[in-house]
Amino acid sequence: MPTALKLYLAGPEVFLPDARAILDAKAALTRAHGFEAICPGDLAIPPAPTKHQFGLNISEVDEGFMNRADGVIANLTPFRGIAADPGTVFELGYMCGAGKLVACYTNVADSHFKRSADFYAGDIHIAEDGRKRASDGTMLEDFEMIENLMLHGGVERRGGPVAVHAAEADRLWTDLTAFEQCLKTLAERR
Amino acid sequence: MPTALKLYLAGPEVFLPDARAILDAKAALTRAHGFEAICPGDLAIPPAPTKHQFGLNISEVDEGFMNRADGVIANLTPFRGIAADPGTVFELGYMCGAGKLVACYTNVADSHFKRSADFYAGDIHIAEDGRKRASDGTMLEDFEMIENLMLHGGVERRGGPVAVHAAEADRLWTDLTAFEQCLKTLAERR
């Protein structure tokens, strides 16, 4: 029997009050689909004399986890605004740059364009250059993608799943439907 | 004379109404410091039958630019919210994962913690677990960093500059002080 592929489970769950329970549930589901799960986290972070150094230590530990992993499933559900958590986005980019397996999902069905337009309360116009622009003149990407094209495109162009599921508001972080869709797709390709 | 190192200039400038002028100014400054500049952009993107495919084509072209580059300078100035542009964050992660030279800067001096606290209108408390948490229970990183620790830590741990400059509001995207600081630091290390 071949060694199970190791998947790094990137997402803003680490910031939630019930982080441990959600990460444990994601890890269990990952193993149920025949993969090994590697969760980000602050377990076993070397103590540090300053909080800044402690932050650097977490960065080092989590990068080490990614280096050990064969791939990533990134939770791109918007966090504290209209976009995915920057730490998760960095990790997705990191794994693309390192040539690993990539998958991503979101529990919000609205497109990147819809959420960007909402940021401007829908005040979007077609500018003289033919582009969709906001009241501040900035251009809006409208490519039927769940996030900025570098993220969605980076995963799709590598053949990875981009799963979308409209979770109920009170299950935004606990609904694992789209996450499991990623696992199923990766398992089929194995 | 050695070949000039090629730097990819990542940032949300591509969305601005005067994108071309700002990118040209950044490229000129990059060359003045002895580097070759590679700007992201939608020049020479292969036409596509659908807008989704056009988005994928831009992703492919920009990844190709990054693959050709020796390093990246990422503009992490907050864009449409409290965090850096996700496309730029992906690119910074990509270059870290690919083992390239990395540098980043921001034109907003507020820390990641300050901006996150502002998102909750300052309603932050110390929870039972000793962490700083918001009204929704989510934890706030407080590591004296300009962004999520994976970004700031990823650059600092690689010895890259993390430049901060408080630009005037009306020069948020045109003030190149912090950008030039990155160029100077990279040039000294060459």
Side-chain angles (χ1 to χ4, degrees):
Chain A
M1 196 177 139
T3 317
L5 287 176
K6 291 185 277 294
L7 297 178
Y8 181 78
L9 308 183
E13 289 89 353
V14 291
F15 301 115
L16 301 178
D18 47 354
R20 192 68 272 156
I22 297 177
L23 286 171
D24 285 350
K26 291 181 78 171
L29 201 55
T30 302
R31 287 190 293 270
H33 284 273
F35 298 102
E36 192 178 315
I38 302 181
C39 293
D42 49 10
L43 308 168
I45 304 290
T50 64
K51 56 186 181 180
H52 187 82
Q53 184 60 47
F54 192 70
L56 295 177
N57 289 358
I58 301 175
S59 159
E60 186 169 8
V61 167
D62 283 348
E63 276 196 22
F65 285 167
M66 288 196 285
N67 294 339
R68 276 177 47 213
D70 301 296
V72 64
I73 300 180
N75 180 357
L76 299 181
T77 304
F79 182 70
R80 292 178 186 159
I82 60 167
D85 161 53
T88 304
V89 176
F90 176 93
E91 293 174 337
L92 179 61
Y94 187 97
M95 296 298 265
C96 285
K100 308 278 178 104
L101 264 180
V102 292
C104 67
Y105 70 96
T106 176
N107 277 351
V108 168
D110 286 342
S111 70
H112 175 64
F113 173 73
K114 169 73 164 62
R115 299 196 313 274
S116 302
D118 287 349
F119 181 79
Y120 297 101
D123 188 4
I124 307 301
H125 62 281
I126 309 282
E128 282 180 20
D129 61 2
R131 314 245 188 169
K132 292 182 175 116
R133 294 192 177 272
S135 41
D136 61 5
T138 60
M139 183 182 75
L140 276 74
E141 287 184 359
D142 183 18
F143 298 124
E144 293 169 351
M145 294 189 175
I146 65 161
E147 252 298 347
N148 177 289
L149 67 88
M150 295 305 292
L151 287 65
H152 188 131
V155 175
E156 184 175 337
R157 289 177 35 252
R158 286 171 171 79
V162 176
V164 179
H165 172 72
E168 299 295 327
D170 62 347
R171 299 201 63 224
L172 191 64
W173 302 110
T174 50
D175 187 327
L176 299 182
T177 310
F179 174 68
E180 187 165 24
Q181 220 173 298
C182 289
L183 287 170
K184 282 179 183 163
T185 307
L186 292 176
E188 280 162 15
R189 295 199 188 149
R190 196 168 36 194
Chain B
M1 195 180 139
T3 318
L5 286 176
K6 292 185 277 294
L7 297 178
Y8 181 77
L9 308 183
E13 289 89 352
V14 289
F15 301 117
L16 301 178
D18 46 355
R20 192 69 271 156
I22 296 178
L23 286 171
D24 284 350
K26 291 181 78 170
L29 202 54
T30 302
R31 286 189 294 269
H33 285 272
F35 299 102
E36 191 178 316
I38 303 181
C39 293
D42 51 9
L43 308 167
I45 303 289
T50 64
K51 56 185 179 178
H52 187 82
Q53 184 60 47
F54 192 70
L56 295 177
N57 289 358
I58 300 175
S59 159
E60 186 169 8
V61 167
D62 283 348
E63 276 196 23
F65 285 167
M66 289 196 285
N67 294 338
R68 275 178 46 213
D70 301 297
V72 64
I73 300 180
N75 180 358
L76 299 182
T77 303
F79 182 71
R80 291 179 186 157
I82 59 166
D85 161 52
T88 304
V89 177
F90 176 93
E91 293 173 337
L92 179 60
Y94 187 98
M95 296 299 264
C96 285
K100 307 277 178 104
L101 263 180
V102 292
C104 67
Y105 70 97
T106 176
N107 277 352
V108 167
D110 286 344
S111 69
H112 174 63
F113 174 72
K114 170 73 163 62
R115 300 197 313 274
S116 302
D118 287 349
F119 182 80
Y120 297 102
D123 188 4
I124 307 301
H125 63 281
I126 310 282
E128 283 180 20
D129 61 2
R131 314 244 189 173
K132 293 184 174 112
R133 293 190 178 275
S135 42
D136 61 5
T138 60
M139 182 182 77
L140 276 74
E141 286 183 2
D142 181 17
F143 297 124
E144 293 169 352
M145 294 189 174
I146 65 161
E147 252 296 349
N148 177 290
L149 67 89
M150 295 304 293
L151 286 63
H152 187 131
V155 175
E156 185 175 336
R157 288 177 37 252
R158 285 172 173 78
V162 176
V164 180
H165 173 72
E168 299 295 327
D170 63 347
R171 300 201 62 223
L172 191 63
W173 301 109
T174 50
D175 186 326
L176 300 183
T177 309
F179 173 69
E180 187 164 24
Q181 220 174 298
C182 289
L183 287 169
K184 282 179 182 163
T185 307
L186 292 175
E188 281 162 15
R189 295 201 187 146
R190 194 169 36 194

